[in-house]
Amino acid sequence: MNTPLSRRMLLASACATALLAPLAASAQSYPSRPITLIVPWPAGGSTDRHMRLLAELAGKQLGQNIIIENKPGGGGTLGPGTMAMTAKPDGYTIAQFPLGMLRIPHMQKMQWDPLKDFTYIVGVSGYTFGFTVRADSPYKTFKDYIEAARKEPGKIDYGSTGAGSSPHLLMEELALNAKIKLNHVPFRGNADLQQALLGGHVMAQSDATGWDKFVDGGQMRLLVTFGEKRTKRWPTVPTAKELGYGVVSQSPYGIVGPKGMDPAIVKTLHDAFRKAMDDPKHLALLDELNQDLWYRSGEDYAKWAGETFVKDKVLIERLGLAAK
């Protein structure tokens, strides 16, 4: 017998099916137009180089172009943060997600939450950080630079890709361990930073391997790197760890979207980027940038982000950089 209760249940089921149908159809037809990938750094830097090639390869897997939109600022947080607050979770706007996204909210109040306002899609790679000076710099070794800072506290400067970025924080941690005071000069991204160093506007720079071509070309001198071990490409350059400064930084990053994305669309994007990551052209570029693969599924990437957010709060408090 068709009771009022059973009719209500049938109606509710029909409504749910009607609501889910457009989502299912959307996921099945995705992507039907180009996708925008926000790169929160200026064009020409190491991350831009990496993301452009990866987007090209992933776009071939998807059958649609992935267009790069450079949106630098805020130590790499402006682009992803703007996406989280304004973009639809339809898979057509995604962003590179630098480690600063999990650190800067501890240093200043942000309008977005790094754990709640993003959909984690895939972990991709991590930077090799190094400290460089111009080839004609009086600092022949990292020890020379540190000794100069001891003699003139607060007067010896270095540039980084922004306050709260990994290149900034690793130098603040090193300065704390070395008991010296440095003058930090923030830039919007590593393309701007390279130009400033080459132009003599800063004495040194802490950055990812956007400096590789300048070191190989003889315009810059690499004084130290910040990995667990020396790089294969510059094996004569010591690490900060072996010099006794106790700093190791790799700064993993990946691809995210706005919160609330359809799991089927997330899987489509994940699978395309995963295949692109294994492409020989991509692996060759990583080798050129002296970076390793850091693959994480969306679920594992989100778990890692939650753990890192808690852990890095301790680091920022220890450096005295936490928001008051």
Side-chain angles (χ1 to χ4, degrees):
M1 186 171 71
N2 196 0
T3 65
L5 177 59
S6 63
R7 284 198 297 272
R8 285 199 298 271
M9 292 175 67
L10 285 169
L11 181 60
S13 176
C15 289
T17 302
L19 288 170
L20 290 173
L23 292 175
S26 174
Q28 287 173 4
S29 62
Y30 176 85
S32 59
R33 54 188 169 87
I35 296 163
T36 296
L37 171 57
I38 295 171
V39 174
W41 311 103
S46 60
T47 309
D48 181 69
R49 287 162 62 191
H50 182 205
M51 289 293 103
R52 282 182 188 276
L53 178 63
L54 190 61
E56 178 187 334
L57 297 172
K60 290 178 181 177
Q61 296 292 332
L62 293 166
Q64 288 286 348
N65 289 333
I66 300 180
I67 301 165
I68 297 297
E69 179 183 343
N70 296 97
K71 194 181 285 288
T77 65
L78 177 64
T82 301
M83 176 198 70
M85 293 184 293
T86 62
K88 295 178 180 178
D90 56 8
Y92 289 101
T93 307
I94 56 179
Q96 188 246 1
F97 191 86
L99 185 56
M101 294 292 293
L102 300 170
R103 291 175 163 175
I104 291 179
H106 295 307
M107 302 168 65
Q108 55 186 287
K109 185 172 177 56
M110 310 304 289
Q111 292 180 280
W112 41 264
D113 185 297
L115 305 182
K116 297 177 181 177
D117 291 334
F118 297 90
T119 298
Y120 288 80
I121 298 169
V122 62
V124 177
S125 183
Y127 298 108
T128 290
F129 292 113
F131 191 84
T132 64
V133 295
R134 274 196 354 178
D136 59 358
S137 168
Y139 310 126
K140 306 297 183 186
T141 66
F142 194 60
K143 182 181 178 182
D144 292 341
Y145 179 84
I146 296 297
E147 287 305 316
R150 289 194 199 287
K151 292 174 183 175
E152 297 185 276
K155 293 186 178 180
I156 303 302
D157 68 37
Y158 74 95
S160 86
T161 47
S165 64
S166 292
H168 170 220
L169 292 187
L170 67 86
M171 282 303 296
E172 291 302 308
E173 186 176 6
L174 187 146
L176 184 68
N177 294 347
K179 298 179 173 57
I180 59 170
K181 183 174 176 56
L182 298 169
N183 178 26
H184 173 236
V185 184
F187 288 83
R188 285 160 57 93
N190 55 14
D192 298 343
L193 176 54
Q194 312 294 351
Q195 293 172 10
L197 179 61
L198 291 171
H201 304 297
V202 288
M203 299 176 180
Q205 68 166 349
S206 172
D207 193 17
T209 47
W211 36 257
D212 57 343
K213 55 185 177 290
F214 299 111
V215 171
D216 290 342
Q219 296 107 312
M220 293 184 190
R221 185 183 304 122
L222 178 61
L223 302 186
V224 69
T225 57
F226 295 93
E228 280 283 355
K229 55 186 179 181
R230 294 190 183 196
T231 66
K232 287 184 263 185
R233 190 163 167 188
W234 299 283
T236 61
V237 178
T239 66
K241 181 180 178 181
E242 71 181 270
L243 292 179
Y245 296 110
V247 178
V248 176
S249 181
Q250 292 173 306
S251 194
Y253 61 85
I255 307 293
V256 300
K259 68 178 179 182
M261 287 177 63
D262 185 319
I265 290 177
V266 174
K267 185 179 187 306
T268 298
L269 284 167
H270 165 276
D271 292 351
F273 277 100
R274 182 70 185 102
K275 288 177 182 176
M277 287 166 64
D278 288 332
D279 188 288
K281 289 182 181 178
H282 178 247
L283 296 174
L285 178 60
L286 285 186
D287 191 54
E288 183 182 326
L289 295 173
N290 211 70
Q291 295 182 200
D292 295 321
L293 277 180
W294 187 78
Y295 167 70
R296 297 292 186 277
S297 67
E299 183 180 343
D300 289 342
Y301 189 16
K303 181 182 178 185
W304 172 86
E307 293 169 350
T308 301
F309 185 64
V310 173
K311 182 187 70 175
D312 282 1
K313 181 182 180 184
V314 177
L315 169 64
I316 289 175
E317 289 175 347
R318 187 166 76 87
L319 295 176
L321 297 172
K324 303 300 186 207

